[in-house]
Amino acid sequence: MSGTIVYEVRRARGDQEMAAALELRHDVFCIEQGVPENEELDGRDGEGIHLVAVSHGELIGTCRLLMVGGTAQFSRLAVRATARRQGIATALLSAADAETRAAGGHRLVLHAQTYAQELYEIAGYRPRGRVFREAGIEHIAMEKHL
Ligand SMILES: CC(C)(COP(=O)(O)OP(=O)(O)OC[C@H]1O[C@@H](n2cnc3c(N)ncnc32)[C@H](O)[C@@H]1OP(=O)(O)O)[C@@H](O)C(=O)NCCC(=O)NCCS
């Protein structure tokens, strides 16, 4: 469903917005899902492209891309609980495609939580391999060729 929330999706701007993105990730992954903080913060944020969804000055979604050669590693996709099922994650995935193309990349890979597999399938990702556990949560590797 297309949302009633008015928002924009773009790269995070400045330290304050980056801090808000990390706070949202902490709320969603560590508090809501019980992921240990030292796994959520893996030391690679400094090399990543951070995309955000912002509505009326409030950060309501985020994700991260790490470019490794021609492949983008997509991760840390989180949407504020009150803003879900309105297409925000789908918009972030679409922006990630555009960023990957702009960086000369031709493929995106990610570890999907299995409950959210359909989200990625709708966005053009296909599973590759078997289900495994990561941070105590069931995942499956998926990829998309641009
Ligand atoms: C997963 C998450 C990012 C989805 O964000 P979102 O903005 O609600 O997703 P969208 O609105 O773009 O969803 C598009 C489609 O994906 C599927 N989908 C999204 N969330 C789903 C869910 N919880 N269960 C099943 N399917 C889901 C649906 O097909 C949905 O379309 P619909 O709403 O018309 O049924 C969000 O629920 C979240 O932050 N969850 C906690 C963190 C997390 O699990 N991150 C993903 C790690 S892989």
Side-chain angles (χ1 to χ4, degrees), residues 47-66:
E47 44 181 307
I49 296 170
H50 298 269
L51 300 177
V52 292
V54 180
S55 178
H56 302 292
E58 190 198 352
L59 200 143
I60 54 172
T62 188
C63 64
R64 182 181 81 183
L65 278 176
L66 297 171

PDB file of all heavy atoms in Angstrom, residues 47-66:
ATOM      1  N   GLU A  47      32.517   3.251   6.787  1.00  0.00           N
ATOM      2  CA  GLU A  47      32.759   3.029   5.351  1.00  0.00           C
ATOM      3  C   GLU A  47      31.458   2.873   4.563  1.00  0.00           C
ATOM      4  O   GLU A  47      31.483   2.658   3.353  1.00  0.00           O
ATOM      5  CB  GLU A  47      33.636   1.776   5.167  1.00  0.00           C
ATOM      6  CG  GLU A  47      33.212   0.645   6.032  1.00  0.00           C
ATOM      7  CD  GLU A  47      34.048  -0.620   5.908  1.00  0.00           C
ATOM      8  OE1 GLU A  47      34.221  -1.111   4.794  1.00  0.00           O
ATOM      9  OE2 GLU A  47      34.492  -1.116   6.956  1.00  0.00           O
ATOM     10  N   GLY A  48      30.310   3.004   5.245  1.00  0.00           N
ATOM     11  CA  GLY A  48      29.041   2.738   4.581  1.00  0.00           C
ATOM     12  C   GLY A  48      28.368   3.971   4.002  1.00  0.00           C
ATOM     13  O   GLY A  48      28.665   5.100   4.377  1.00  0.00           O
ATOM     14  N   ILE A  49      27.444   3.719   3.067  1.00  0.00           N
ATOM     15  CA  ILE A  49      26.505   4.741   2.596  1.00  0.00           C
ATOM     16  C   ILE A  49      25.236   4.533   3.417  1.00  0.00           C
ATOM     17  O   ILE A  49      24.687   3.429   3.435  1.00  0.00           O
ATOM     18  CB  ILE A  49      26.203   4.562   1.094  1.00  0.00           C
ATOM     19  CG1 ILE A  49      27.459   4.764   0.264  1.00  0.00           C
ATOM     20  CG2 ILE A  49      25.087   5.515   0.656  1.00  0.00           C
ATOM     21  CD1 ILE A  49      27.293   4.369  -1.209  1.00  0.00           C
ATOM     22  N   HIS A  50      24.807   5.582   4.112  1.00  0.00           N
ATOM     23  CA  HIS A  50      23.632   5.457   4.980  1.00  0.00           C
ATOM     24  C   HIS A  50      22.466   6.206   4.353  1.00  0.00           C
ATOM     25  O   HIS A  50      22.557   7.413   4.113  1.00  0.00           O
ATOM     26  CB  HIS A  50      23.944   6.005   6.367  1.00  0.00           C
ATOM     27  CG  HIS A  50      25.042   5.252   7.044  1.00  0.00           C
ATOM     28  ND1 HIS A  50      24.805   4.171   7.854  1.00  0.00           N
ATOM     29  CD2 HIS A  50      26.393   5.381   6.978  1.00  0.00           C
ATOM     30  CE1 HIS A  50      25.958   3.678   8.274  1.00  0.00           C
ATOM     31  NE2 HIS A  50      26.936   4.398   7.757  1.00  0.00           N
ATOM     32  N   LEU A  51      21.396   5.480   4.077  1.00  0.00           N
ATOM     33  CA  LEU A  51      20.191   6.094   3.531  1.00  0.00           C
ATOM     34  C   LEU A  51      19.167   6.256   4.647  1.00  0.00           C
ATOM     35  O   LEU A  51      19.124   5.433   5.577  1.00  0.00           O
ATOM     36  CB  LEU A  51      19.611   5.228   2.417  1.00  0.00           C
ATOM     37  CG  LEU A  51      20.547   4.996   1.232  1.00  0.00           C
ATOM     38  CD1 LEU A  51      19.897   4.066   0.206  1.00  0.00           C
ATOM     39  CD2 LEU A  51      20.927   6.319   0.571  1.00  0.00           C
ATOM     40  N   VAL A  52      18.378   7.305   4.544  1.00  0.00           N
ATOM     41  CA  VAL A  52      17.367   7.563   5.576  1.00  0.00           C
ATOM     42  C   VAL A  52      16.042   7.949   4.924  1.00  0.00           C
ATOM     43  O   VAL A  52      16.010   8.486   3.805  1.00  0.00           O
ATOM     44  CB  VAL A  52      17.805   8.697   6.542  1.00  0.00           C
ATOM     45  CG1 VAL A  52      18.992   8.256   7.388  1.00  0.00           C
ATOM     46  CG2 VAL A  52      18.131   9.987   5.796  1.00  0.00           C
ATOM     47  N   ALA A  53      14.957   7.666   5.656  1.00  0.00           N
ATOM     48  CA  ALA A  53      13.633   8.193   5.310  1.00  0.00           C
ATOM     49  C   ALA A  53      13.291   9.209   6.389  1.00  0.00           C
ATOM     50  O   ALA A  53      13.366   8.892   7.586  1.00  0.00           O
ATOM     51  CB  ALA A  53      12.604   7.072   5.283  1.00  0.00           C
ATOM     52  N   VAL A  54      12.951  10.412   5.963  1.00  0.00           N
ATOM     53  CA  VAL A  54      12.703  11.501   6.910  1.00  0.00           C
ATOM     54  C   VAL A  54      11.315  12.078   6.650  1.00  0.00           C
ATOM     55  O   VAL A  54      10.954  12.366   5.500  1.00  0.00           O
ATOM     56  CB  VAL A  54      13.768  12.619   6.749  1.00  0.00           C
ATOM     57  CG1 VAL A  54      13.506  13.757   7.726  1.00  0.00           C
ATOM     58  CG2 VAL A  54      15.170  12.059   6.957  1.00  0.00           C
ATOM     59  N   SER A  55      10.537  12.197   7.725  1.00  0.00           N
ATOM     60  CA  SER A  55       9.195  12.754   7.622  1.00  0.00           C
ATOM     61  C   SER A  55       9.049  13.904   8.602  1.00  0.00           C
ATOM     62  O   SER A  55       9.181  13.705   9.814  1.00  0.00           O
ATOM     63  CB  SER A  55       8.172  11.658   7.939  1.00  0.00           C
ATOM     64  OG  SER A  55       6.872  12.181   7.902  1.00  0.00           O
ATOM     65  N   HIS A  56       8.785  15.086   8.093  1.00  0.00           N
ATOM     66  CA  HIS A  56       8.637  16.272   8.946  1.00  0.00           C
ATOM     67  C   HIS A  56       9.771  16.381   9.965  1.00  0.00           C
ATOM     68  O   HIS A  56       9.536  16.590  11.159  1.00  0.00           O
ATOM     69  CB  HIS A  56       7.287  16.257   9.666  1.00  0.00           C
ATOM     70  CG  HIS A  56       6.122  16.189   8.725  1.00  0.00           C
ATOM     71  ND1 HIS A  56       5.777  17.218   7.894  1.00  0.00           N
ATOM     72  CD2 HIS A  56       5.260  15.183   8.471  1.00  0.00           C
ATOM     73  CE1 HIS A  56       4.726  16.873   7.171  1.00  0.00           C
ATOM     74  NE2 HIS A  56       4.405  15.636   7.494  1.00  0.00           N
ATOM     75  N   GLY A  57      10.997  16.168   9.495  1.00  0.00           N
ATOM     76  CA  GLY A  57      12.169  16.310  10.354  1.00  0.00           C
ATOM     77  C   GLY A  57      12.465  15.098  11.222  1.00  0.00           C
ATOM     78  O   GLY A  57      13.488  15.059  11.909  1.00  0.00           O
ATOM     79  N   GLU A  58      11.578  14.106  11.198  1.00  0.00           N
ATOM     80  CA  GLU A  58      11.808  12.904  12.034  1.00  0.00           C
ATOM     81  C   GLU A  58      12.323  11.763  11.177  1.00  0.00           C
ATOM     82  O   GLU A  58      11.783  11.485  10.081  1.00  0.00           O
ATOM     83  CB  GLU A  58      10.494  12.481  12.706  1.00  0.00           C
ATOM     84  CG  GLU A  58      10.716  11.416  13.766  1.00  0.00           C
ATOM     85  CD  GLU A  58       9.429  10.674  14.145  1.00  0.00           C
ATOM     86  OE1 GLU A  58       8.344  11.082  13.689  1.00  0.00           O
ATOM     87  OE2 GLU A  58       9.536   9.684  14.871  1.00  0.00           O
ATOM     88  N   LEU A  59      13.365  11.120  11.673  1.00  0.00           N
ATOM     89  CA  LEU A  59      13.950   9.996  10.944  1.00  0.00           C
ATOM     90  C   LEU A  59      13.129   8.731  11.227  1.00  0.00           C
ATOM     91  O   LEU A  59      13.042   8.291  12.371  1.00  0.00           O
ATOM     92  CB  LEU A  59      15.402   9.821  11.396  1.00  0.00           C
ATOM     93  CG  LEU A  59      16.273   9.030  10.427  1.00  0.00           C
ATOM     94  CD1 LEU A  59      17.671   9.613  10.379  1.00  0.00           C
ATOM     95  CD2 LEU A  59      16.318   7.584  10.859  1.00  0.00           C
ATOM     96  N   ILE A  60      12.514   8.170  10.184  1.00  0.00           N
ATOM     97  CA  ILE A  60      11.596   7.031  10.394  1.00  0.00           C
ATOM     98  C   ILE A  60      12.081   5.751   9.725  1.00  0.00           C
ATOM     99  O   ILE A  60      11.450   4.707   9.869  1.00  0.00           O
ATOM    100  CB  ILE A  60      10.166   7.373   9.910  1.00  0.00           C
ATOM    101  CG1 ILE A  60      10.191   7.843   8.453  1.00  0.00           C
ATOM    102  CG2 ILE A  60       9.531   8.424  10.812  1.00  0.00           C
ATOM    103  CD1 ILE A  60       8.803   8.003   7.842  1.00  0.00           C
ATOM    104  N   GLY A  61      13.187   5.831   8.998  1.00  0.00           N
ATOM    105  CA  GLY A  61      13.714   4.615   8.376  1.00  0.00           C
ATOM    106  C   GLY A  61      15.172   4.800   8.021  1.00  0.00           C
ATOM    107  O   GLY A  61      15.642   5.930   7.831  1.00  0.00           O
ATOM    108  N   THR A  62      15.897   3.685   7.951  1.00  0.00           N
ATOM    109  CA  THR A  62      17.305   3.759   7.563  1.00  0.00           C
ATOM    110  C   THR A  62      17.766   2.416   7.018  1.00  0.00           C
ATOM    111  O   THR A  62      17.128   1.382   7.238  1.00  0.00           O
ATOM    112  CB  THR A  62      18.187   4.196   8.761  1.00  0.00           C
ATOM    113  OG1 THR A  62      19.520   4.429   8.308  1.00  0.00           O
ATOM    114  CG2 THR A  62      18.236   3.126   9.846  1.00  0.00           C
ATOM    115  N   CYS A  63      18.884   2.455   6.289  1.00  0.00           N
ATOM    116  CA  CYS A  63      19.569   1.237   5.845  1.00  0.00           C
ATOM    117  C   CYS A  63      21.002   1.618   5.496  1.00  0.00           C
ATOM    118  O   CYS A  63      21.340   2.804   5.421  1.00  0.00           O
ATOM    119  CB  CYS A  63      18.884   0.601   4.640  1.00  0.00           C
ATOM    120  SG  CYS A  63      18.900   1.595   3.146  1.00  0.00           S
ATOM    121  N   ARG A  64      21.848   0.593   5.304  1.00  0.00           N
ATOM    122  CA  ARG A  64      23.273   0.830   5.037  1.00  0.00           C
ATOM    123  C   ARG A  64      23.727   0.009   3.839  1.00  0.00           C
ATOM    124  O   ARG A  64      23.299  -1.125   3.666  1.00  0.00           O
ATOM    125  CB  ARG A  64      24.092   0.418   6.263  1.00  0.00           C
ATOM    126  CG  ARG A  64      25.572   0.677   6.116  1.00  0.00           C
ATOM    127  CD  ARG A  64      26.331   0.214   7.351  1.00  0.00           C
ATOM    128  NE  ARG A  64      26.571  -1.211   7.323  1.00  0.00           N
ATOM    129  CZ  ARG A  64      27.168  -1.892   8.310  1.00  0.00           C
ATOM    130  NH1 ARG A  64      27.550  -1.281   9.402  1.00  0.00           N
ATOM    131  NH2 ARG A  64      27.371  -3.189   8.203  1.00  0.00           N
ATOM    132  N   LEU A  65      24.614   0.610   3.061  1.00  0.00           N
ATOM    133  CA  LEU A  65      25.219  -0.078   1.914  1.00  0.00           C
ATOM    134  C   LEU A  65      26.729  -0.048   2.055  1.00  0.00           C
ATOM    135  O   LEU A  65      27.313   1.004   2.315  1.00  0.00           O
ATOM    136  CB  LEU A  65      24.891   0.690   0.625  1.00  0.00           C
ATOM    137  CG  LEU A  65      23.551   0.477  -0.039  1.00  0.00           C
ATOM    138  CD1 LEU A  65      23.438   1.426  -1.225  1.00  0.00           C
ATOM    139  CD2 LEU A  65      23.389  -0.951  -0.503  1.00  0.00           C
ATOM    140  N   LEU A  66      27.363  -1.189   1.866  1.00  0.00           N
ATOM    141  CA  LEU A  66      28.826  -1.261   1.817  1.00  0.00           C
ATOM    142  C   LEU A  66      29.200  -1.723   0.420  1.00  0.00           C
ATOM    143  O   LEU A  66      28.777  -2.806  -0.005  1.00  0.00           O
ATOM    144  CB  LEU A  66      29.357  -2.255   2.850  1.00  0.00           C
ATOM    145  CG  LEU A  66      29.091  -1.943   4.331  1.00  0.00           C
ATOM    146  CD1 LEU A  66      29.481  -3.139   5.196  1.00  0.00           C
ATOM    147  CD2 LEU A  66      29.873  -0.722   4.769  1.00  0.00           C
TER     148      LEU A  66
END
